[in-house]
Amino acid sequence: MYRNDTNQRVQKSLKGRFLLFIGILLFLVYLTMGLFVIFDKRLPLGIPDNYRTFLGIVLIVYSLLRFVRLLQKK
């Protein structure tokens, strides 16, 4: 919920709430995936550790960028 110019409470539409939920879900998915790539050595990716760490960091940074954009839209 947010407030408009006349200080009345206005509820987000169903579409807006759904897109907010999807945005938060994708942020969590990318963040979790990045952490798994970095820390779970059982994951059969077949790439060297330094590239694995780089890929994990890229996924985490991308998830943070998605979260910042989500906050700016709100």
Side-chain angles (χ1 to χ4, degrees), residues 51 54 58 64 71 74:
Y51 291 124
F54 179 73
V58 167
L64 293 175
L71 289 179
K74 186 179 178 189

Side-chain angles (χ1 to χ4, degrees), residues 7-68:
N7 286 334
Q8 295 176 347
R9 295 185 88 165
V10 178
Q11 188 172 1
K12 284 188 174 185
S13 68
L14 182 61
K15 179 182 172 185
R17 285 182 284 170
F18 178 73
L19 291 176
L20 178 66
F21 174 75
I22 294 296
I24 292 171
L25 180 69
L26 285 175
F27 158 70
L28 292 173
V29 165
Y30 281 116
L31 181 66
T32 305
M33 198 166 39
L35 291 172
F36 267 112
V37 167
I38 292 174
F39 294 114
D40 192 8
K41 301 300 180 189
R42 297 172 297 162
L43 210 62
L45 292 177
I47 58 176
D49 285 342
N50 54 351
Y51 291 124
R52 178 185 214 113
T53 304
F54 179 73
L55 176 62
I57 290 172
V58 167
L59 287 170
I60 291 171
V61 168
Y62 180 68
S63 73
L64 293 175
L65 288 174
R66 287 187 65 96
F67 186 68
V68 168

